[in-house]
Amino acid sequence: MLKVAIARRTGDFSLDVAFTAPNGVTAVLGRSGAGKSTLVSAVAGLVRPDEGRIMLGDVALFDRAARIDLAPRKRRVGVVFQESRLFPHLSVRSNLLFGRRRRRGATGPSFDQVVETLGIGALLPRSPRSLSGGERQRVAIGRALLSAPHALLFDEPLAALDSERKGEILPFLETLVREVSLPVLYVTHALEEAQRLAERLVVLAAGRIVAEGPLEQAIAAAGLASAGDRFLDGVTVEATVAELDERYGLTGLSLGAHRVWVPGLIGQPGDAARLRFLARDLALALVPPERTSVRNVLPGVVRGLKRGEGPYASVMVDVGGAVLRAEITRRAADDLQLAPGRVVYALVKSVAVSRA
Amino acid sequence: MLVALLLARGRFPGKTLLDGLVHLPLVLPPVVTGYLLLLSFGRRGLFGEALANCCGLVFSFRWTGAALAAGIMGFPLMVRAIRLSIEAVDRRLEDAAETLGAGRIGVLFVVTLPLAAPGLLAGLVLAFAKALGEFGATITFVSNIPGETRTLPAAIYTLTQTPGGDAAALHLVLVAIGLSLLALVASELLARRLASRIAG
C-alpha cells in the first residue's frame, strides 16, 4: 500500500495530490505538464516535496512534519524511467544485477525468472548501446524488478517507443504486473496503456487530481468533467467469460447481470476479459427494440448528460456493473428527453465491442 | 580529483574563490608563481620552514621543489579537464543508480568516475605536458642546478646559451618531442578504448 499526500511548488507550477495505491497497478494519467514526472520523482526521493507525507506500507518515505526524508537508496522503490537510463559502461548483465548486488538477502523473483519472463537471455553479454529501444526498456524493467523493490514506479516507460515496440513490450508488462504483488504506479499520457494494465486510475491535470478510483469509474468521472477529451473515446469494463458459442464463433460474457456477445472465441468460461465500448458505437433507445440485428441490448439509467458546444452530446449510462458512455447528437438527446435518472437501453452491435 | 569533484557538483560558499585560486597559476606569469612559491616554501618561507623542521622536507633548490612547481602549474589544467568531464556525466544516471540502492560514494565510483574516465585521462595528459614544459616558475623557485633541478626545458635553454652546445640541445629537443609524442599517442589509445567501452 502506497499512500501519497504531497504538495510541491516550483515557479508558477504547483503539485498538490493525495491518493492511495494498493497492491496492483494504479495508472496516473495526465498530459505533459500535469505533474506526473514530479510525482514520480517525489516518491522515488529525487525531488523533495514542500509538504506532506509518503508512506510505503508502515515505512514513512517522507514526512515533512516528522522531518523524515529517506534517501532514494533506502526507499526500496524501483523506478523504470522513460529513457531507460541503463549504465552505458556496464553490460546488460551488470545492469540487471546493479540493484541486486546492493540488496543482498532480499526476496523477490530470481535473476533467471526475470530474465526469462522478459526474454532478455540473449542480451546479457551485450552493451546497452547496442540494444533497440524496446530491448533497453525490457532490461530497465528487469533491473528495477531485481532491486527487490517494495513498490514499482513506471514513468512513461513506453512514451519514447514507436507503436510497434510498444506492442512488443506491453505483453511483458501485463504478465509482470500481475505476478508481482506490489503497489505499482504506472504514469502515462496514453489511456490505452492505462486500460490494458491498470486496475485503478488517478487522472491528473495541472497538478491536481481530477478523478480517482477503479479504472472505469475514474474514466467516467473524468469524462463528465471534460467530455470530448481524446482520453475518453471509450470505456473499458471488466467482464467474465460465461459461455462460448462455437457454432457461430461468439463469446458470451457476463457484465453485471447482462450478457454481452462479442465476436471470436475468448478464453474459457470463468476467465476475466476486458471489453472496450467506443462512445460513438453506442446507441440509446427508450424501449427495447425488437427484431434487430443488434445483439447487445443493455437496460440502464442515465447518470449524466453533457451537451457540448457543437452538435454532440455525451451521455453516461449506468448499466449495472459498468458506466458506459454514448456519444449522440444533441438533437437526439432532446428528442428522447434524456436526463439523469431516465431509464434507457444501450444498444451495442457485437462487432463494435472489442477486447481491450 | 577531489577539487574537480567539489567544483563540478558541490554547492558551498566560497566556491568561486576556490575556483579562482585553483586557476590562478594558469593566468599569472609563471615567474610570479615561482616567486610566490619561493616566498612560501623557501627555507625561510611561511610553510617551507615548518615543513623543513617537522619532516625534513626541503623544497627550495631541490628536485622536490621542481616537482612541486610542475605540479602547481599543471594542477589547474587537470582540474579543469576533470571537472568538465564530470559535469558532462548524465545526472539522471546517477539518480537511477541511487534508486537501485547505491549510496553517494558508490554512485561516484561505479557510475560517475567510470563515465568520466576519458576526461580524467585527458586531464592527466595535459598536466603532464604542462609539467614537462614548465620553465618560468621552476627556474624562479629552484633555479637551474645540474643533476638536481635542471628540467628538460631548462637544460635546453642552458645549452643554447653555451657556445658549441647546439648539437646537445638538438638531442634534448628530440627527446622532448619523443616524450610528448609518446604521451599523446598513449593517451589517445587509452581514451579511445575507454570511449568505445562507454559507447559500446
Side-chain angles (χ1 to χ4, degrees), chain A residues 51-173:
Chain A
E51 296 292 337
R53 229 148 86 98
I54 304 172
M55 297 288 296
L56 178 53
D58 304 329
V59 183
L61 302 184
F62 177 83
D63 189 338
R64 176 62 207 268
R67 293 174 176 275
I68 294 172
D69 185 12
L70 281 190
R73 71 190 165 95
K74 291 189 182 147
R75 295 197 174 199
R76 307 290 295 256
V77 172
V79 190
V80 177
F81 300 95
Q82 182 178 337
E83 340 77 31
S84 75
R85 303 199 190 177
L86 299 179
F87 303 119
H89 59 299
L90 300 176
S91 69
V92 167
R93 180 192 297 276
S94 305
N95 265 286
L96 285 170
L97 289 172
F98 193 96
R100 191 62 153 196
R101 290 201 175 114
R102 284 163 178 77
R103 299 215 169 110
R104 283 182 193 287
T107 51
S110 75
F111 181 75
D112 293 336
Q113 275 174 321
V114 169
V115 167
E116 191 186 323
T117 316
L118 290 165
I120 49 180
L123 311 176
L124 291 179
R126 287 169 60 183
S127 150
R129 288 282 167 91
S130 70
L131 306 182
S132 74
E135 289 169 336
R136 256 182 246 172
Q137 231 25 335
R138 262 146 67 196
V139 174
I141 293 166
R143 184 175 71 173
L145 274 175
L146 283 169
S147 66
H150 295 164
L152 276 172
L153 304 181
F154 288 85
D155 188 5
E156 306 225 28
L158 306 183
L161 306 176
D162 56 41
S163 55
E164 206 174 310
R165 299 263 174 260
K166 279 181 196 164
E168 177 192 310
I169 293 198
L170 267 169
F172 289 114
L173 273 176

Side-chain angles (χ1 to χ4, degrees), chain B residues 7-31:
Chain B
L7 287 178
R9 289 290 150 87
R11 249 184 298 167
F12 53 92
K15 182 174 165 179
T16 320
L17 192 69
L18 178 66
D19 199 26
L21 217 59
V22 165
H23 285 97
L24 208 56
L26 199 62
V27 278
L28 271 183
V31 178

Side-chain angles (χ1 to χ4, degrees), chain B residues 114-194:
Chain B
L115 285 174
L120 305 189
L121 193 73
L124 280 178
V125 171
L126 271 175
F128 174 73
K130 181 70 187 176
L132 195 67
E134 215 301 299
F135 183 73
T138 314
I139 210 152
T140 316
F141 184 27
V142 293
S143 181
N144 182 5
I145 304 163
E148 183 71 37
T149 65
R150 177 164 290 178
T151 62
L152 193 62
I156 294 173
Y157 178 74
T158 314
L159 285 169
T160 54
Q161 301 299 308
T162 319
D166 290 356
L170 263 177
H171 275 129
L172 284 180
V173 165
L174 286 179
V175 169
I177 293 175
L179 267 175
S180 312
L181 273 180
L182 205 70
L184 275 178
V185 170
S187 79
E188 183 64 27
L189 285 179
L190 259 170
R192 233 183 259 172
R193 273 204 16 214
L194 284 171

